[in-house]
Amino acid sequence: MYERLKEIMAKLTGGDAERRRAHALYVAIAEAARREVFYRDLGVPDTPEGRYDLLSMHAILLMRRLRGEGDDAVAFAQLVFDVMFRDIDDSLREMGVGDMRVGKKVRAYAEAFYGRAKAYEDGLDGEGDLADAAARNVYGEDNAARGAALADYMRKADAALAAQNADDIMAARLRFPEPS
């Protein structure tokens, strides 16, 4: 009976080991998103919004890769998403956003994430303009050259993730290409 209760609790909470793995993977995508080349050479604004845009982009690419790997991988991707938004919540609080506003801001970030996910998925699937989506979401303006550079990076990252073993990815042994 006790073992069954432990199994149920692990499923409900994501289990300690699973949560640690999800956190390690989140750290890996956050590190990829913080590479200086994005800010220095590609002109991504080094602001909380710019950092969020790149974090979202990498998380979307990761979740896209795991989606085709079955229910366990999809559940793990959801756990990474949960860890990411818990970190966003914590970061907002550390930046001094009041308790009454944190929930609204996190909700706005989540809505933005889903909007970006749809636009990037469509672009990567050839059903939308990926460069336009990147320019609009990251730069907030019509910046075709920079949008094209980010779109090129996303295509390379999507292909690189597709070539990597899902178990390695979920163990935070993933490689994103260098932006050019």
Side-chain angles (χ1 to χ4, degrees), residues 57-58 60-67 120-121 123-126 130 150-164 169 175-177:
M57 182 182 73
H58 285 86
I60 290 163
L61 290 165
L62 167 79
M63 291 171 191
R64 174 182 168 86
R65 170 61 180 91
L66 294 180
R67 188 175 46 241
Y120 295 159
E121 290 274 343
L124 288 165
D125 291 338
L130 186 58
L150 276 179
D152 182 58
Y153 171 77
M154 281 190 264
R155 286 186 195 96
K156 288 178 184 174
D158 191 50
L161 289 172
Q164 295 173 50
I169 290 171
R175 294 168 313 285
F176 284 99

Side-chain angles (χ1 to χ4, degrees), residues 91-146:
S91 294
L92 289 169
R93 291 175 194 283
E94 286 175 16
M95 291 178 354
V97 175
D99 286 342
M100 298 296 286
R101 295 189 52 224
V102 168
K104 289 179 185 177
K105 284 190 127 343
V106 169
R107 191 172 314 110
Y109 277 125
E111 289 171 2
F113 180 90
Y114 288 119
R116 284 163 172 74
K118 171 81 170 109
Y120 295 159
E121 290 274 343
D122 287 351
L124 288 165
D125 291 338
E127 298 170 9
D129 188 335
L130 186 58
D132 180 61
R136 184 179 61 252
N137 289 321
V138 176
Y139 302 104
E141 57 189 53
D142 183 22
N143 194 325
R146 287 181 172 167

Side-chain angles (χ1 to χ4, degrees), residues 158-175:
D158 191 50
L161 289 172
Q164 295 173 50
N165 179 286
D167 290 333
D168 286 341
I169 290 171
M170 291 190 295
R173 293 187 304 266
L174 72 164
R175 294 168 313 285

